[in-house]
């Protein structure tokens, strides 16, 4: 029950009490005149009683007028109170509507803020994930950099060692070349040919096939200047594949002609195939 209802209940209670008082006053004026007067033979007493009753009626009328005046005042006060309450009710309704509108606006703003905050939180989580991934990538890159740096240091040490070894080998090579040159001069003066075969065994040399023919003859890039002689055997290969064996039948200073031995042939011999006195 709101405030207006409570005020109306109080006013109804007051009006009920007023009307009940008025009813009791009217009821008190009601008399059984036969019993009250007693007999028509008592006019003096009856007149006195009538006078008293008239006065009492006047007094009751005065009280009734006073009560009506009070009732009018109460009614006027009630109307003023109702008008004031209606005004306050209208103001409260307006405030309620304003508060409802503000609440709706605040709810909308809160929903928008919540959505923005959720979106920002999601972006923050994504950024945190990216940061963690970048940190892992940076750590891996740093580890790889450290490994590469150690490898560079090791390679630098090996390079320095190899450079030192190369310098030593170069010095040794120069010294051996000088000794070989001196030995060759001495051997040339003595008439000794270093490229000549020893006990029929040719030196270890290799070359390529220059040309082939259909009658089983092959021309190679090895000659007598390299120590090759008639009757020497040459092995033919292409990459890691063994193709067969040749027998030298004729030599020149820079080339030779050989015959294909069918019993050793493993494949077709072509130009640019490798030939050597020994397989290495």
């Amino acid at each position: 029950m709101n405030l207006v209802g409570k005020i109306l209940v109080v006013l109804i209670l007051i009006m009920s009490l007023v009307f009940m008082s008025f009813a009791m006053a009217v009821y008190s004026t009601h008399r059984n005149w036969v019993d009250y007067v007693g007999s028509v033979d008592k006019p003096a007493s009856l007149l006195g009683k009538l006078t008293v009753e008239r006065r009492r009626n006047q007094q009751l009328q005065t009280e009734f007028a006073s009560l009506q005046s009070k009732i009018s005042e109460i009614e006027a006060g009630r109307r003023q109170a109702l008008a004031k309450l209606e005004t306050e009710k209208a103001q409260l309704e307006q405030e309620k509507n304003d508060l409802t509108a503000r609440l709706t606006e605040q709810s909308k703003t809160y929903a928008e803020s919540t959505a923005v905050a959720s979106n920002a939180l999601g972006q923050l989580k994504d950024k945190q994930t990216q940061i963690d991934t970048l940190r892992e990538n940076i750590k891996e890159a740093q580890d790889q950099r450290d490994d590469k740096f150690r490898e560079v240091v090791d390679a630098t040490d090996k390079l320095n060692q190899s450079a030192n070894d190369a310098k030593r080998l170069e010095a040794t090579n120069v010294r051996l070349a000088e000794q070989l040159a001196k030995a060759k001069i001495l051997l040339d003066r003595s008439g000794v040919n270093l490229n000549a075969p020893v006990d029929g065994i040719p030196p270890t040399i290799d070359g390529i096939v220059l040309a082939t023919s259909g009658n089983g003859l092959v021309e190679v890039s090895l000659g007598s200047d390299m120590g090759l002689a008639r009757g020497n055997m040459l092995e033919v290969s292409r990459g890691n594949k063994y193709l067969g064996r040749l027998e030298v039948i004729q030599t020149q200073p820079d080339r030779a002609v050989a015959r294909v031995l069918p019993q050793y042939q493993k494949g077709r011999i072509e130009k640019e195939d490798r030939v050597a006195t020994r397989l290495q």
Side-chain angles (χ1 to χ4, degrees):
M1 183 181 294
N2 55 19
L3 182 61
V4 176
K6 292 179 179 180
I7 293 174
L8 291 176
V9 169
V10 173
L11 291 176
I12 291 171
L13 179 61
I14 294 172
M15 294 297 294
S16 299
L17 293 174
V18 170
F19 283 110
M20 184 174 66
S21 299
F22 180 72
M24 290 178 66
V26 172
Y27 179 76
S28 64
T29 59
H30 180 71
R31 292 290 187 274
N32 187 352
W33 293 105
V34 175
D35 294 335
Y36 184 75
V37 174
S39 176
V40 294
D41 295 334
K42 301 177 180 179
S45 177
L46 181 59
L47 181 60
K49 288 182 179 181
L50 288 173
T51 302
V52 172
E53 291 298 332
R54 189 182 294 112
R55 290 177 180 175
R56 289 184 63 186
N57 287 334
Q58 291 177 354
Q59 184 178 1
L60 289 174
Q61 289 178 356
T62 303
E63 292 178 358
F64 180 71
S66 178
L67 288 174
Q68 284 185 337
S69 176
K70 290 181 179 180
I71 291 171
S72 299
E73 292 178 357
I74 292 171
E75 185 66 22
R78 184 182 67 82
R79 291 177 181 174
Q80 292 179 357
L82 287 175
K84 184 177 180 181
L85 289 174
E86 289 294 335
T87 303
E88 292 179 355
K89 179 182 178 182
Q91 292 178 354
L92 291 174
E93 289 291 338
Q94 184 64 33
E95 291 179 359
K96 177 184 177 182
N97 294 333
D98 294 340
L99 289 174
T100 303
R102 290 178 61 186
L103 179 61
T104 303
E105 184 177 358
Q106 292 294 331
S107 299
K108 183 179 179 180
T109 304
Y110 175 75
E112 293 176 354
S113 301
T114 303
V116 172
S118 299
N119 188 18
L121 183 60
Q123 293 180 356
L124 180 61
K125 290 182 179 179
D126 294 338
K127 295 296 183 183
Q128 186 64 39
T129 303
Q130 294 178 2
I131 290 173
D132 294 338
T133 303
L134 289 174
R135 285 178 178 173
E136 293 178 357
N137 294 336
I138 290 172
K139 186 177 182 302
E140 292 178 358
Q142 289 177 347
D143 294 339
Q144 293 178 359
R145 182 199 62 185
D146 294 338
D147 294 339
K148 295 297 182 182
F149 181 75
R150 285 191 292 270
E151 291 178 359
V152 169
V153 172
D154 294 339
T156 303
D157 294 339
K158 292 179 180 180
L159 179 62
N160 294 332
Q161 185 177 0
S162 299
N164 294 331
D165 294 340
K167 289 181 180 179
R168 289 196 303 271
L169 292 174
E170 185 177 359
T172 303
N173 186 35
V174 171
R175 185 174 67 255
L176 292 176
E178 292 176 353
Q179 294 177 359
L180 179 61
K182 291 179 181 180
K184 186 175 181 181
I185 293 173
L186 294 175
L187 291 173
D188 289 339
R189 289 177 181 178
S190 301
V192 178
N193 186 5
L194 292 176
N195 295 324
V198 180
D199 298 331
I201 301 175
T204 303
I205 54 178
D206 61 74
I208 61 173
V209 175
L210 297 177
T212 61
S213 65
N215 55 3
L217 298 179
V218 177
E219 186 179 6
V220 298
S221 63
L222 303 175
S224 58
D225 289 347
M226 302 179 68
L228 191 66
R230 184 177 178 180
N232 291 154
M233 298 296 175
L234 298 176
E235 307 294 340
V236 186
S237 62
R238 184 185 304 131
N240 295 326
K241 183 178 180 182
Y242 178 75
L243 298 177
R245 179 175 293 179
L246 306 177
E247 180 183 1
V248 178
I249 60 176
Q250 183 181 355
T251 62
Q252 295 181 9
D254 60 346
R255 64 189 61 203
V257 176
R259 179 172 58 88
V260 178
L261 299 178
Q263 64 271 27
Y264 295 101
Q265 189 170 3
K266 301 297 182 182
R268 183 179 179 181
I269 299 174
E270 298 178 353
K271 186 179 179 180
E272 302 294 333
D273 288 340
R274 181 176 176 269
V275 294
T277 55
R278 296 185 183 88
L279 289 176
Q280 298 179 357

